[in-house]
Amino acid sequence: MATERKATVIGISGCSSSGKTTLSRLLRDIIPRTFILHEDDFYKPEEELPIKHDLRDWDCVEALDIPALLRALDYIHTHGTLPPDLESKEDKNEIGDSGVSASIIERLRQEVAHWAAHGNGKGLISDTKPLALLDGFLLYGNNVQEVREKLDIKLLLRVGYAKAKKRREARSGYVTLEGFWEDPPGYVDKIVWPNYVEDHAFLFERGDVEGAVDEGVLRGLGVRAVPGLDVGMGEAVEWAVGVIEGELERMGGDGGRVVT
């Protein structure tokens, strides 16, 4: 029997340091009744991670507890809330200033509120049908097809090698199950960027992740890519709000069905 999903799940993906978490937090501040699920909260224990180039590989599908992530997504679709036993480690990680002014955030908040109350979005977001944002570095690859199929809306952020490397290497580290992880020297070049290319090349023309996206492939998967490489967060959040509103209108608030 098919039952209506009680939340609309929106994927926000892209290379490490592409701005996924920053965008997710901005959208949570702008769109009412929105909460965040972090893919990074589903890492396996560090000792179970694969070794690549004599380094622990945090940026591959084998590092993730995919069954646990799938169960969390099913819970959100069924109950409209985060699983009660989920404790986020990602929320303990600091992120820098978004670069988006308070006035822009407030303007977008008011525009969304009007859209949701009086415009074409009336009734599409409610206490009984919230939005769940899933941010993660690996959501659309063919090696995570089961995850991809559970996402109702799919947004892809794009970042070039130079900016991704600069941002990642500027970070102090990450809170983990065991404590704290700091990238060793050369980690972006040996692990982060090659893995991103390997898992996402099929989404781009000629496999060039810094070039044009393959519109046919993205259309077939229902993925919407931010227009351009290395766009500012202000432009990205304006784009994301517009896409989400359009997709919710297109779905009529249904957000898909789940078989029980």
Side-chain angles (χ1 to χ4, degrees), residues 12 23 27 31 155 157 226 235-246:
I12 299 178
L23 178 60
L27 291 172
I31 303 175
L155 307 183
L157 295 181
V226 67
E235 182 180 347
V237 72
E238 296 252 16
W239 164 80
V241 168
V243 171
I244 291 169
E245 288 179 343

Side-chain angles (χ1 to χ4, degrees), residues 85-106:
D85 58 345
L86 179 65
E87 181 179 355
S88 177
K89 297 174 293 297
E90 177 61 26
D91 284 340
K92 299 175 183 177
N93 288 316
E94 294 184 1
I95 60 174
D97 180 76
S98 70
V100 182
S101 69
S103 61
I104 291 177
I105 295 171
E106 181 58 28

Side-chain angles (χ1 to χ4, degrees), residues 180-196:
F180 198 73
W181 163 270
E182 295 181 72
D183 288 346
Y187 195 77
V188 172
D189 291 315
K190 293 178 180 178
I191 303 292
V192 176
W193 189 256
N195 286 9
Y196 168 66

Side-chain angles (χ1 to χ4, degrees), residues 41-206:
D41 284 324
F42 295 88
Y43 275 118
K44 296 176 181 177
E46 186 173 336
E47 66 271 14
E48 296 181 20
L49 303 186
I51 302 294
K52 183 177 181 180
H53 301 305
D54 298 320
L55 298 169
R56 291 286 183 187
D57 187 350
W58 293 85
D59 289 71
C60 63
V61 66
E62 292 82 7
L64 297 167
D65 186 346
I66 296 298
L69 174 57
L70 293 172
R71 289 194 296 272
L73 290 171
D74 284 340
Y75 186 94
I76 290 170
H77 272 141
T78 302
H79 299 279
T81 63
L82 289 169
D85 58 345
L86 179 65
E87 181 179 355
S88 177
K89 297 174 293 297
E90 177 61 26
D91 284 340
K92 299 175 183 177
N93 288 316
E94 294 184 1
I95 60 174
D97 180 76
S98 70
V100 182
S101 69
S103 61
I104 291 177
I105 295 171
E106 181 58 28
R107 173 178 59 79
L108 288 172
R109 185 182 292 126
Q110 291 180 11
E111 290 176 359
V112 169
H114 184 273
W115 169 83
H118 308 288
N120 293 334
K122 189 172 183 179
L124 298 186
I125 305 173
S126 67
D127 290 335
T128 58
K129 193 63 174 292
L131 301 185
L133 306 175
L134 170 61
D135 84 271
F137 71 94
L138 185 57
L139 299 181
Y140 310 144
N142 289 326
N143 50 1
V144 287
Q145 183 177 348
E146 287 183 287
V147 174
R148 188 174 68 200
E149 291 176 348
K150 290 185 181 293
L151 305 177
D152 304 307
I153 299 172
K154 309 177 189 74
L155 307 183
L156 176 67
L157 295 181
R158 302 180 55 206
V159 65
Y161 163 78
K163 180 169 283 189
K165 180 179 174 71
K166 181 179 180 180
R167 287 176 174 173
R168 176 88 182 213
E169 292 183 345
R171 292 182 175 179
S172 59
Y174 303 84
V175 176
T176 69
L177 286 171
E178 294 77 17
F180 198 73
W181 163 270
E182 295 181 72
D183 288 346
Y187 195 77
V188 172
D189 291 315
K190 293 178 180 178
I191 303 292
V192 176
W193 189 256
N195 286 9
Y196 168 66
V197 173
E198 180 179 353
D199 291 329
H200 297 85
F202 78 106
L203 299 175
F204 297 83
E205 293 183 1
R206 297 177 297 279

